[in-house]
Amino acid sequence: MPRDASELAHRLAREAEAVCRHYLSNGRREGRYWLVGDVRNTPGRSMFVRLKGQESGRGAAGKWTDAATGEHGDLLDVIRESCGLLDFHDVADEARRFLSLPRSDPEPSPKTVLMPAQTGSPEAARRLFAMSQPLARTLAEAYLRNRGISPLHEAGSLHFHPRCYYRPNDNSPTETWPAMIARVTDLEGRITGAHRTWLDPDGFDPIRLGKAPIDTPRRAMGDLLGNGVRFGVANDVLAAGEGIETMLSLRCVLPTLPMAAALSANHLAAMLLPLTLRRLYIARDADAAGDAAVTALTERANAAGIEAIAWSPRVGDFNEDLRTFGIDELRAALRTQLAPQDVVRFLLWATAETG
């Protein structure tokens, strides 16, 4: 009987197509790959699973990559995400059930004590993101849809926590509110921080736009400088801006263009840029801080040999544009602000796919 995760993963890889047909039933085989929307079995074509290949390493059977999000893994991850399992013991038992292997007997192990993470540290951020749940069918998903952000082309960087701690100040008692949790990562994809948007459990209203009725409904933790909340993996082209909702609004129009939210004007000015980057779009917020961030980041990009192009909203920011004017007018406005080659590469492709 398999004794560890690697052996289970190897056994699943030998039956890769059968695993995909069972757990990723909304996809289909094309050549040596199984294509589907994502690891949670959403219809689409951005995730591909290698059905044939070597036992391990690059090109191994059973390995998958989501081209839209940069997520990757093996068939144990497919079972975990598609079945909504959290504990590895449950994932392993489901894999053994599929492979017709005996279920594992729990082995006694010495108890380990998880030391508390320092408040606001990257470790605390990693733990918070790990204990939160996927975005689908949660209040956080409803919050984004109420802000005009639909469909959600990339949810891997966003989670939901139904009872996230909130303290107005050090002398106040701790409260709990539902929250959207965003992971902040560096250029290598390592989690360095988290951003919390506390939400109103009573629903959406036009004043707070769905945020909780508290003094500071948005807070970030961890190492933020130079890092960001990423949607897609940047290679030669990237769009960067301040807010999560701003960048997700733009991603409604340009779903395959990699984007990053720096979370503030100061952090946008200091965002680290990939070495492979050749063109950077900067989504400015229409205020003095936004203008200063665009100027600083443009200077840094140009010094690195990167073409920088600023995108300007018609009103305060691009989410306000989306809610005020609609997606067709936002698409038309962006078309005039894209480099000609990127109109064909990102905008016309997206229009054809959705039209």
Side-chain angles (χ1 to χ4, degrees):
M1 182 177 73
R3 298 184 61 85
D4 57 26
S6 61
E7 189 174 348
L8 267 179
H10 285 147
R11 291 206 181 203
L12 290 168
R14 295 176 197 138
E15 308 290 337
E17 184 171 349
V19 173
C20 290
R21 290 189 181 279
H22 184 79
Y23 295 102
L24 300 175
S25 56
N26 286 322
R28 66 179 183 179
R29 176 171 181 166
E30 291 194 13
R32 297 168 62 87
Y33 298 95
W34 188 268
L35 303 184
V36 69
D38 59 35
V39 72
R40 288 162 286 279
N41 197 27
T42 302
R45 296 171 55 86
S46 66
M47 172 179 158
F48 53 93
V49 186
R50 184 179 290 274
L51 301 179
K52 301 291 183 182
Q54 56 195 39
E55 284 281 325
S56 60
R58 290 179 62 87
K63 298 292 186 181
W64 59 268
T65 299
D66 190 326
T69 68
E71 294 177 288
H72 55 87
D74 60 23
L75 294 174
L76 284 173
D77 298 313
V78 166
I79 291 176
R80 183 188 70 241
E81 294 294 334
S82 64
C83 295
L85 303 174
L86 298 177
D87 189 88
F88 176 74
H89 188 273
D90 295 332
V91 176
D93 277 347
E94 174 62 20
R96 291 186 177 95
R97 184 201 63 76
F98 179 83
L99 294 167
S100 300
L101 297 171
R103 292 170 65 90
S104 62
D105 294 324
E107 297 181 4
S109 58
K111 291 185 177 180
T112 57
V113 178
L114 188 63
M115 299 300 293
Q118 182 179 354
T119 301
S121 66
E123 178 59 26
R126 285 188 283 269
R127 292 186 189 182
L128 175 61
F129 193 78
M131 69 176 62
S132 55
Q133 64 191 70
L135 198 70
R137 297 177 294 279
T138 68
L139 179 64
E141 183 182 54
Y143 160 76
L144 292 174
R145 292 189 186 280
N146 281 322
R147 296 199 59 163
I149 299 169
S150 177
L152 292 172
H153 293 285
E154 206 313 298
S157 294
L158 304 175
H159 272 188
F160 173 71
H161 197 300
R163 294 175 58 83
C164 185
Y165 290 149
Y166 171 80
R167 291 182 68 186
N169 55 63
D170 292 341
N171 299 318
S172 302
T174 299
E175 306 171 15
T176 59
W177 292 86
M180 182 175 72
I181 311 297
R183 68 181 178 197
V184 178
T185 59
D186 62 16
L187 291 175
E188 302 301 320
R190 293 182 292 260
I191 296 180
T192 65
H195 183 272
R196 296 151 291 176
T197 303
W198 282 278
L199 305 174
D200 189 342
D202 293 330
F204 190 86
D205 70 82
I207 304 300
R208 292 191 299 270
L209 299 177
K211 296 187 290 294
I214 53 181
D215 290 339
T216 52
R218 301 180 190 270
R219 289 182 183 174
M221 60 194 294
D223 291 338
L224 308 177
L225 194 64
N227 303 316
V229 180
R230 302 180 192 279
F231 308 106
V233 178
N235 183 17
D236 59 326
V237 182
L238 172 70
E242 294 182 36
I244 294 169
E245 293 84 358
T246 292
M247 302 316 294
L248 286 176
S249 298
L250 293 165
R251 202 159 165 82
C252 288
V253 176
L254 301 163
T256 61
L257 175 58
M259 299 190 182
L263 304 177
S264 75
N266 287 337
H267 287 123
L268 177 60
M271 176 169 278
L272 296 176
L273 303 175
L275 295 176
T276 56
L277 200 63
R278 294 295 174 264
R279 184 158 46 257
L280 173 67
Y281 293 103
I282 308 172
R284 63 177 283 271
D285 283 6
D287 54 30
D291 290 341
V294 169
T295 299
L297 187 54
T298 298
E299 291 176 354
R300 291 182 50 238
N302 290 339
I306 299 168
E307 178 186 13
I309 300 174
W311 284 343
S312 296
R314 292 171 62 180
V315 283
D317 59 45
F318 284 103
N319 183 247
E320 190 175 351
D321 277 14
L322 176 62
R323 290 183 287 108
T324 303
F325 305 111
I327 193 167
D328 289 337
E329 290 202 30
L330 178 58
R331 181 181 292 113
L334 285 176
R335 180 167 186 154
T336 66
Q337 301 184 62
L338 281 167
Q341 59 268 44
D342 290 337
V343 172
V344 176
R345 181 178 175 185
F346 298 111
L347 184 60
L348 295 185
W349 179 92
T351 304
E353 285 286 303
T354 58

